[in-house]
């Protein structure tokens, strides 16, 4: 397993537009890190730099002690798995069953048949897709497709997972299922880099937060420190509803613990206040 580090990275598109500038982002093995920012801040550009879908114009992206430019496509896929926002961009259509779709990458890498079977069955269990294995991937619901897309990446067993807005098109039930998979990956020691707009989920599941604005890092730190900063609103960053509630209660003279960001933390604090009264 390895850390990932963006070292003074800038990236410009072919039209000359510089989407991100002088990024210095260090993510340690096993961390869950959310990349936040308003639309156009450079979030997707940044995470695509992490698996060589975007190649730095300036600077270097390091996975462990190796520059991503020195990886082949097959090597980077095994180190840094990338899950697209839209599962249609992930599902290859090369196979007409979910089982075949999940196994497809392993087949391309020449993994032995018995090992493929073991790994696919394991990952289908983790992603709750076993019951879908004979279905055509393109006949599934959006949430089911997203779990299949996740499974097709996870089966390659990358140490680092980059997940770009996985729940933007999902209902609450499917959203919860996706985040349960992310929780399982954390327990397995995977590094998870997540772009997500649902701030309550970021507050609950992530460890650290990186905030981008106009292609630059303006905050990077522990989630409690960053997400409790009301001033981030001026950069177009929405915060968890709990943060707004805590701030409002403080403004009305209620003595609140600092840096409350999750509903569980708020419930615990209110219970303590109630006992004192």
């Amino acid at each position: 397993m390895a850390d990932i580090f963006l070292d003074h990275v800038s990236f410009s598109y072919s039209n000359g537009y510089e989407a991100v500038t002088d990024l210095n982002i260090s993510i340690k093995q096993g961390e869950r890190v959310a990349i936040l920012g308003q639309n156009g801040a450079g979030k997707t550009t940044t995470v695509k730099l992490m698996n060589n879908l975007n190649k730095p114009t300036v600077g270097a992206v390091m996975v462990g002690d190796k520059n991503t430019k020195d990886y082949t496509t097959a090597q980077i896929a095994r180190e840094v798995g990338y899950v697209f926002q839209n599962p249609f961009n992930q599902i290859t259509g090369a196979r007409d069953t979910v089982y075949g779709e999940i196994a497809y990458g392993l087949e391309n890498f020449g993994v032995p048949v018995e090992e493929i079977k073991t790994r696919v069955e394991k990952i289908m269990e983790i992603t709750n897709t076993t019951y879908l294995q004979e279905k055509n991937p393109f006949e599934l619901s959006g949430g089911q497709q997203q779990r299949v897309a996740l499974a097709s990446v996870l089966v390659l067993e990358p140490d680092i997972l980059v997940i770009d807005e996985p729940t933007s098109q999902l209902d609450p039930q499917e959203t919860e299922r996706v985040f349960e998979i992310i929780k399982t990956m954390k327990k397995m020691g995977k590094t998870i880099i997540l772009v997500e707009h649902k701030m309550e989920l970021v507050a609950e599941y992530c460890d650290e937060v990186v905030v981008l604005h106009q292609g630059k890092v303006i905050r990077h730190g522990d989630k409690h420190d960053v997400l409790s900063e009301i001033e981030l609103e001026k950069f177009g960053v929405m915060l968890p509803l709990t943060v707004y509630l805590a701030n409002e209660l403080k403004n009305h003279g209620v003595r609140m613990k600092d840096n409350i960001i999750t509903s569980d933390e708020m419930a615990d604090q209110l219970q303590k206040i109630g006992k004192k009264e």
Side-chain angles (χ1 to χ4, degrees), residues 21 27 57 74 79 86 91 93 107 131 136 163 184 199 251 271:
T21 304
I27 298 173
T57 310
E79 289 284 345
N86 190 333
I91 294 172
E107 292 170 356
Y131 72 103
N136 187 309
I163 310 175
T184 299
M199 299 307 299
N251 290 339
Q271 189 176 45

Side-chain angles (χ1 to χ4, degrees), residues 125-158:
E125 183 176 348
I126 289 172
T127 57
N128 189 28
T129 52
T130 304
Y131 72 103
L132 300 170
Q133 61 182 307
E134 297 303 324
K135 299 278 190 182
N136 187 309
F138 292 111
E139 294 175 356
L140 305 179
S141 70
Q144 291 169 337
Q145 286 184 335
Q146 189 61 278
R147 282 186 280 127
V148 170
L150 262 168
S152 69
V153 172
L154 295 175
V155 78
L156 301 178
E157 299 181 348

Side-chain angles (χ1 to χ4, degrees), residues 10 21 79 92 108 112 150 171 173 176 194 208 231 238 242:
S10 298
T21 304
E79 289 284 345
T92 66
N108 281 340
L150 262 168
D171 62 30
Q173 185 178 34
E176 190 62 33
L194 176 71
E208 293 205 349
E231 290 76 14
M238 294 299 294
T242 303

Side-chain angles (χ1 to χ4, degrees), residues 177-229:
R177 286 172 176 161
V178 167
F179 270 85
E180 282 302 311
I181 296 168
I182 291 172
K183 186 176 180 180
T184 299
M185 292 300 103
K186 167 67 175 179
K187 290 178 181 177
M188 294 171 66
K190 304 292 185 183
T191 303
I192 298 164
I193 299 153
L194 176 71
V195 177
E196 179 58 67
H197 284 295
K198 295 172 182 173
M199 299 307 299
E200 282 68 30
L201 293 171
V202 170
E204 181 179 354
Y205 286 93
C206 291
D207 305 314
E208 293 205 349
V209 174
V210 175
V211 181
L212 298 177
H213 180 67
Q214 295 181 350
K216 297 180 180 180
V217 175
I218 60 169
R219 299 289 189 280
H220 183 184
D222 178 84
K223 65 180 180 181
H224 287 90
D225 295 331
V226 177
L227 294 181
S228 59
E229 189 177 340

Side-chain angles (χ1 to χ4, degrees), residues 13 42-49 54 82 85 164-165 195:
Y13 287 98
K43 301 184 298 296
T44 293
T45 299
T46 297
V47 293
K48 283 185 174 180
L49 284 160
N54 289 336
Y82 189 94
Q85 176 180 351
D164 191 0
E165 296 194 47
V195 177

